Amino acid sequence: MLLGQLAGCGRMLPAGDRDELIKYTVNKGETLYSISWRYGYDHREVAAWNNIRPPYSIYPGQQLLLIAPHQQYAKPPRQPVASAGPVPSTATRPPSKPATSSPVVRPAVVASATPTSSATQSRTTTVTPRRVEKRPVSRQQKSIAWRWPSEGVIVSGFSPSKGKKGLDIRGKLGQSVIAAASGNVVYSGSGLIGYGNLVIIKHNDTYLSAYGHNRRLLVKEGAAVKQGQKIAEMGDSGKDGIILHFEVRRDGKPVNPLNYLPKRRK
């Protein structure tokens, strides 16, 4: 029997038989940041669900509990205008996060199941939301002076509905890729499918940026980098040619980099 308790940020689970948790086994070379990036979560969410404290160290073979992907964006049921009888209890999606932090609701989920042969999923049986203390937003989190990570033409823009979570910038093989803002390298490797050789930089508690499809990585995990510092060399993505794939994420969610980068000629 598996007994686990999750406490997540702004995520409510709908009740019913489809509520599922993923038991994710950590592979060699993965970090909490890279796993959170893959599933579209804030690293602090995953850390809280699994009682992992800063500096968020994990190890190969460790099992992490995650909310199944199909539960992330479950549509809330339509609310009745009036009802003469009792209204069945259902879970609704909380409001989207504002620009500044506000009190959020994390689901506390008790999961109980006998693992299947694949040992990949378990079903939830109880959902009890609880409130978490407000996290203040520092002045640093609100203002980052971003710069372009490389020269080149944008060949693919931000379009989450089409699976495009960032910008694809076409350049030359070996072209310099630089840090768009100062921060610390929290991932440097090739373990995320679809990103090739990837660097992820944490700028503060709110923002991360990623630089994918590189020919060569020039920084290692844990390194402090300055804005404008060369961190990689542009590589060949295969299907899309020689490009840099660049993403910015706010609280774990992809945002349009063009809303942060200075304007320039295409």
Side-chain angles (χ1 to χ4, degrees):
M1 299 292 287
L2 171 67
L3 181 63
Q5 185 174 23
L6 301 178
C9 176
R11 192 84 81 236
M12 294 289 291
L13 289 175
D17 292 337
R18 294 179 69 249
D19 294 355
E20 294 175 345
L21 305 179
I22 292 176
K23 285 171 55 184
Y24 183 87
T25 302
V26 178
N27 298 307
K28 183 178 180 180
E30 291 184 314
T31 68
L32 189 73
Y33 292 90
S34 66
I35 294 170
S36 303
W37 190 278
R38 174 184 291 140
Y39 284 94
Y41 290 119
D42 187 328
H43 62 279
R44 292 167 296 179
E45 291 181 306
V46 179
W49 296 340
N50 293 275
N51 296 319
I52 300 173
R53 296 184 178 183
Y56 306 125
S57 299
I58 58 177
Y59 55 87
Q62 181 177 356
Q63 287 194 330
L64 303 178
L65 292 179
L66 304 172
I67 300 174
H70 70 261
Q71 297 296 335
Q72 293 187 43
Y73 308 107
K75 295 181 179 180
R78 180 177 298 176
Q79 298 297 318
V81 177
S83 175
V87 179
S89 176
T90 57
T92 60
R93 186 195 302 178
S96 58
K97 296 179 180 178
T100 56
S101 295
S102 58
V104 293
V105 176
R106 292 178 179 267
V109 181
V110 176
S112 178
T114 301
T116 61
S117 58
S118 60
T120 57
Q121 293 183 336
S122 60
R123 293 192 176 276
T124 60
T125 56
T126 306
V127 179
T128 308
R130 70 180 185 181
R131 189 166 294 276
V132 175
E133 293 181 3
K134 179 178 179 180
R135 178 187 293 270
V137 178
S138 68
R139 182 173 300 176
Q140 179 194 24
Q141 289 174 244
K142 295 180 180 179
S143 59
I144 296 179
W146 300 84
R147 64 177 293 178
W148 284 84
S150 194
E151 297 294 328
V153 178
I154 298 175
V155 294
S156 180
F158 180 77
S159 182
S161 62
K162 298 180 180 179
K164 300 183 181 299
K165 301 176 182 178
L167 306 178
D168 288 342
I169 304 172
R170 179 161 293 158
K172 298 179 181 180
L173 189 64
Q175 183 173 312
S176 294
V177 175
I178 64 174
S182 299
N184 292 286
V185 177
V186 292
Y187 182 78
S188 179
S190 57
L192 271 71
I193 297 175
Y195 285 92
N197 289 322
L198 174 71
V199 174
I200 299 177
I201 298 176
K202 176 186 177 183
H203 303 292
N204 54 36
D205 284 342
T206 300
Y207 290 102
L208 298 130
S209 62
Y211 313 73
H213 298 306
N214 298 290
R215 179 178 72 174
R216 188 160 68 107
L217 304 179
L218 304 177
V219 291
K220 297 181 179 181
E221 289 170 17
V225 295
K226 297 293 185 180
Q227 184 183 63
Q229 178 179 335
K230 185 175 179 179
I231 58 173
E233 294 177 353
M234 194 178 296
D236 193 335
S237 68
K239 182 179 72 171
D240 298 318
I242 300 171
I243 61 168
L244 167 67
H245 179 73
F246 176 67
E247 291 186 23
V248 175
R249 295 203 181 184
R250 185 183 190 279
D251 293 327
K253 301 305 175 188
V255 292
N256 191 346
L258 293 179
N259 293 336
Y260 299 85
L261 297 171
K263 293 183 179 181
R264 71 171 191 182
R265 295 180 180 178
K266 295 184 179 180

